[in-house]
Amino acid sequence: MRLNLRRFDFVLLGATLVLLVFGIAMVYSATQGVASYEDYPLRQAIYGLIGLLLLLLIAAFDYRLLTSLQWPIYVGVLAALGAVAVVGQVRGGASGWFDAGIVFIQPAEFGKVLFIIVFAQYLASRHEQIGKPQWVLGALALMGLPAALIYLQPDLGNAIVLLVIGALMLFVADLPWGYIAGAVAASVLALPVIYANLEGYMKTRIDIFLDPASDPDASFNIAQALISIGNGGVLGKGFGEGSQSQLHFLRVRYADFIFSVIAEELGFVGALFLIVLLVIVLWRLITIADQARDQFGRLLVAGVIALIMFQAIVSIGMNLGLLPVTGITLPFISYGGSSLLTLMIGLGLAQSVAMRNRKIEFD
């Protein structure tokens, strides 16, 4: 028995490799001249290589064997998220990190891809009964527990990402429209209550988004991001030549606001190139999901699609001033080991589904 490598999606792999190289180059440009950041490009390259190895190893692993690990994985995710909320290292205002000595590990990032595995199995095993209230309530509980633990760190951005992943997977699992309409209506009605109970800095970000002039100091980075994007024009000012990034007006330029660095230095053409690469990745993932041989595989890939698509939209949107600042990374581009490895694990799962979209052939 052997796997047919012709089913491995080399277009997806190729687009991913280009994104990785592009991301390392932009992290280098965004961090040059700052001693405390000088090892970031090398670290990102190492994360990328490890991620590629994980992708290939997971692709060779039969994703269907994960169905028996649903509950151990879920308990492990909850335990890690609960522990980091209590004893985690504080970085960026959130206690969401474990100090592993050489690197910091962010369980919320890995929790998103592990949640996809758990939720895909839950929905796939109840596909014919997904409209029953008890199963819908169970699905909401599965989503709500890890999202609540992530929020308590506090990390609103990743909590929202997890909920959006779950919502899209429920949609793909053919959740009846009545539930979808009810959930949308309930979410809209709950917005005032949710806002009233947010952490202070979370409210500030929303207030600044709605009225930037209300606090010029707090909205400084958004203003600098928009200046960066405007400076780039069509062709950009040149790699490593962006005034806002190289003169350090733009903060967190290697992560949250790296899209602004791209737009200033490589212009509209560079930004469009990035978006096209992300669209290619999403297109190949949609194709894999459509050709999946079972509901579990289809939902696995749907979760990975939601992860990449939502983070890309939010990251680019906040750089353009179209969405509030959330701290969500730009997939494959922003600096961050946990985020990058999570994405590569997700792509490995998708490749595993792609390689098994038909019955295994016997020689």
Side-chain angles (χ1 to χ4, degrees), residues 24 40-50 340:
I24 293 166
Y40 281 18
L42 177 60
R43 282 173 171 263
Q44 190 75 347
I46 293 173
Y47 291 139
L49 290 173
I50 295 173
L340 183 56

Side-chain angles (χ1 to χ4, degrees), residues 157 160-161 164 168 209 229 256-257 259 274-275 278-279 282 286 304-334 343:
I160 292 174
V161 172
V164 169
L168 182 61
F209 168 70
I229 294 170
D256 297 2
F257 290 94
F259 180 79
L274 167 65
I275 292 171
L278 290 170
V279 169
L282 292 171
I286 291 170
V304 177
I305 292 169
L307 171 62
I308 296 173
M309 181 174 63
F310 183 69
Q311 290 199 182
I313 291 173
V314 171
S315 180
I316 294 173
M318 72 182 189
N319 275 257
L320 294 171
L322 300 176
L323 293 170
V325 175
T326 60
I328 291 175
T329 56
L330 182 58
F332 307 104
I333 305 298
S334 295
L343 293 168

Side-chain angles (χ1 to χ4, degrees), residues 9 30 41 51 60 103 106 109 111 132 141 157 166 184 198 224 239 269 289 300 332 334 337 342 350 355 360:
D9 197 319
V103 296
Q106 189 177 13
E109 288 290 346
K132 291 188 175 182
V184 171
L198 290 176
Q224 295 303 314
F239 180 76
V269 172
L300 267 181
F332 307 104
S334 295
T342 295
M355 293 173 68
I360 297 175

Side-chain angles (χ1 to χ4, degrees), residues 250-292:
L250 189 63
R251 302 165 189 160
V252 206
R253 54 194 173 276
Y254 52 85
D256 297 2
F257 290 94
I258 199 165
F259 180 79
S260 297
V261 177
I262 294 170
E264 182 177 27
E265 298 187 357
L266 305 181
F268 174 78
V269 172
L272 182 62
F273 176 69
L274 167 65
I275 292 171
V276 168
L277 286 173
L278 290 170
V279 169
I280 291 173
V281 168
L282 292 171
W283 161 57
R284 295 312 305 162
L285 289 173
I286 291 170
T287 301
I288 292 171
D290 183 61
Q291 296 176 350

Side-chain angles (χ1 to χ4, degrees), residues 26-356:
M26 296 316 304
V27 169
Y28 170 78
S29 177
T31 58
Q32 61 180 330
V34 183
S36 57
Y37 298 160
E38 62 184 8
D39 64 339
Y40 281 18
L42 177 60
R43 282 173 171 263
Q44 190 75 347
I46 293 173
Y47 291 139
L49 290 173
I50 295 173
L52 282 173
L53 178 61
L54 286 174
L55 187 156
L56 296 174
L57 289 175
I58 293 171
F61 180 81
D62 190 336
Y63 70 94
R64 290 166 295 182
L65 298 177
L66 293 171
T67 57
S68 61
L69 300 176
Q70 174 190 12
W71 298 118
I73 290 173
Y74 188 67
V75 171
V77 169
L78 294 182
L81 292 175
V84 79
V86 176
V87 299
Q89 297 289 317
V90 177
R91 302 186 73 197
S95 59
W97 305 79
F98 285 130
D99 186 352
I102 300 176
V103 296
F104 287 93
I105 299 172
Q106 189 177 13
E109 288 290 346
F110 294 107
K112 289 182 292 191
V113 73
L114 293 174
F115 168 76
I116 289 172
I117 296 171
V118 172
F119 208 49
Q121 171 58 13
Y122 178 87
L123 296 177
S125 63
R126 296 160 178 82
H127 183 236
E128 300 300 325
Q129 302 174 314
I130 194 59
K132 291 188 175 182
Q134 65 267 34
W135 299 130
V136 176
L137 290 173
L140 295 178
L142 280 177
M143 295 165 55
L145 283 174
L149 290 172
I150 293 172
Y151 174 76
L152 290 174
Q153 294 178 7
D155 186 350
L156 179 61
N158 275 319
I160 292 174
V161 172
L162 189 142
L163 291 174
V164 169
I165 290 171
L168 182 61
M169 291 176 71
L170 279 168
F171 177 78
V172 174
D174 299 320
L175 182 70
W177 280 100
Y179 286 110
I180 296 174
V184 171
S187 299
V188 172
L189 293 174
L191 285 178
V193 177
I194 294 172
Y195 175 82
N197 289 279
L198 290 176
E199 296 285 335
Y201 79 92
M202 297 175 185
K203 291 182 181 178
T204 300
R205 288 179 174 180
I206 296 173
D207 294 341
I208 291 171
F209 168 70
L210 296 175
D211 183 13
S214 64
D215 191 342
D217 291 335
S219 62
F220 175 82
N221 216 40
I222 293 295
Q224 295 303 314
L226 293 174
I227 291 172
S228 299
I229 294 170
N231 284 346
V234 177
L235 298 177
K237 303 183 74 172
F239 180 76
E241 300 296 330
S243 58
Q244 304 306 111
S245 59
Q246 301 307 318
L247 297 178
H248 308 161
F249 290 111
L250 189 63
R251 302 165 189 160
V252 206
R253 54 194 173 276
Y254 52 85
D256 297 2
F257 290 94
I258 199 165
F259 180 79
S260 297
V261 177
I262 294 170
E264 182 177 27
E265 298 187 357
L266 305 181
F268 174 78
V269 172
L272 182 62
F273 176 69
L274 167 65
I275 292 171
V276 168
L277 286 173
L278 290 170
V279 169
I280 291 173
V281 168
L282 292 171
W283 161 57
R284 295 312 305 162
L285 289 173
I286 291 170
T287 301
I288 292 171
D290 183 61
Q291 296 176 350
R293 63 180 296 174
D294 56 25
Q295 186 72 352
F296 177 57
R298 180 169 172 255
L299 289 167
L300 267 181
V301 183
V304 177
I305 292 169
L307 171 62
I308 296 173
M309 181 174 63
F310 183 69
Q311 290 199 182
I313 291 173
V314 171
S315 180
I316 294 173
M318 72 182 189
N319 275 257
L320 294 171
L322 300 176
L323 293 170
V325 175
T326 60
I328 291 175
T329 56
L330 182 58
F332 307 104
I333 305 298
S334 295
Y335 172 76
S338 295
S339 174
L340 183 56
L341 293 179
T342 295
L343 293 168
M344 300 303 283
I345 291 170
L347 292 184
L349 290 171
Q351 291 283 13
S352 179
V353 175
M355 293 173 68
R356 295 163 182 85

